[in-house]
Amino acid sequence: MDASDAGTDLDHVLFTEAQIHDRLQELGDRIWADYKDKDLLLVGVLKGAVLVMADLMRTLPGSAPMDWMAVSSYGSGTKSSGVVRILKDLDTDISGKHVLIVEDIIDSGLTLNWIRSNLLSRDPASLEICTLLRKPDAAKVAIDCRYVGFDIPNEFVVGYGLDYDERYRNLRDIGTLAPHVYS
Ligand code: XMP
Ligand code: MG
């Protein structure tokens, strides 16, 4: 990757870093109001949710532990396969805990749907989902998501942890990729 990539490969910015931070603060306020008296465990999905987790947890006025899970659903392309495999499981026993899954994006919903049922089988006290982005027009399964940052059109986006073939995760804003990147 060279320094000019972001300038030529991005089509347009959807959300700036400041807009993302403002929205995460609003979600964090709601989350804290809902969970302040509960045994909350934040569960992030690697790798895309790393930056969402980092910024969301710092909006909380108190501390909550985090754990991570890694699954594979995409190869290097842009379409969900629907086949999910656990690459890294949680370190924590979640039974009796109030689990909040922290995600970067819900596209078809297939990945999160699978993660959700997998975690539910481990008897958490409750299980809710927080996602920064959601593509309503791409949904293949309905997912009940309590905290949603932004609904976006059905376009592939990168930045703020989101990648295309492991690139662009470091961009501070979220934007769409120019068509030439895919070809
Ligand atoms: P599904 O379709 O199963 O996809 O909901 C979930 C996972 O796929 C990745 N994903 C994206 N990554 N830009 C990305 O960089 C996108 O527009 C996009 N759509 C889906 C992401 O890892 C998500 O957790
Ligand atoms: Mg993800």
Side-chain angles (χ1 to χ4, degrees), residues 45-49 71 73-74 77-82 84 103-113 115 131 133 135 138 140-141 143 152-159 161-165 167 169 175 182:
V45 184
L46 292 168
K47 305 170 207 167
V71 300
S73 59
Y74 281 17
T78 61
K79 289 261 156 52
S80 194
S81 64
V84 179
E103 255 290 29
D104 50 354
I105 188 164
I106 302 178
D107 191 290
S108 69
L110 294 171
T111 309
L112 206 48
N113 195 44
I115 293 175
T131 186
L133 304 175
K135 297 180 184 171
K140 290 193 178 135
V141 282
I143 296 214
I152 62 169
N154 193 5
E155 294 176 301
F156 198 79
V157 293
V158 296
L162 292 150
D163 71 305
Y164 176 68
D165 211 359
R167 297 165 68 199
R169 291 193 197 275
Y182 303 109

Side-chain angles (χ1 to χ4, degrees), residues 13-171:
V13 169
L14 284 178
F15 305 106
T16 63
E17 182 178 31
Q19 288 173 313
I20 296 166
H21 285 165
D22 287 352
R23 186 63 183 137
L24 287 178
Q25 182 66 56
E26 291 171 359
L27 295 181
D29 291 347
R30 278 176 51 203
I31 289 167
W32 195 251
D34 294 345
Y35 288 95
K36 60 178 180 305
D37 303 320
K38 295 188 175 135
D39 196 5
L40 169 64
L41 173 69
L42 301 169
V43 167
V45 184
L46 292 168
K47 305 170 207 167
V50 165
L51 299 188
V52 182
M53 176 73 92
D55 286 335
L56 177 69
M57 78 188 313
R58 286 182 293 176
T59 69
L60 304 177
S63 72
M66 67 171 164
D67 201 348
W68 294 92
M69 203 168 173
V71 300
S72 75
S73 59
Y74 281 17
S76 61
T78 61
K79 289 261 156 52
S80 194
S81 64
V83 180
V84 179
R85 202 157 51 93
I86 296 183
L87 302 177
K88 184 226 168 284
D89 206 343
L90 299 176
D91 299 332
T92 322
D93 176 3
I94 64 168
S95 85
K97 302 243 170 74
H98 291 273
V99 173
L100 180 63
I101 299 175
V102 176
E103 255 290 29
D104 50 354
I105 188 164
I106 302 178
D107 191 290
S108 69
L110 294 171
T111 309
L112 206 48
N113 195 44
W114 188 93
I115 293 175
R116 203 176 157 276
S117 4
N118 183 283
L119 295 187
L120 275 177
S121 72
R122 308 181 196 190
D123 291 320
S126 69
L127 182 64
E128 298 292 344
I129 297 165
C130 173
T131 186
L132 178 64
L133 304 175
R134 182 173 64 181
K135 297 180 184 171
D137 298 339
K140 290 193 178 135
V141 282
I143 296 214
D144 186 18
C145 185
R146 182 174 286 183
Y147 311 97
V148 180
F150 305 102
D151 279 325
I152 62 169
N154 193 5
E155 294 176 301
F156 198 79
V157 293
V158 296
Y160 196 74
L162 292 150
D163 71 305
Y164 176 68
D165 211 359
E166 294 299 327
R167 297 165 68 199
Y168 311 108
R169 291 193 197 275
N170 59 321
L171 300 183

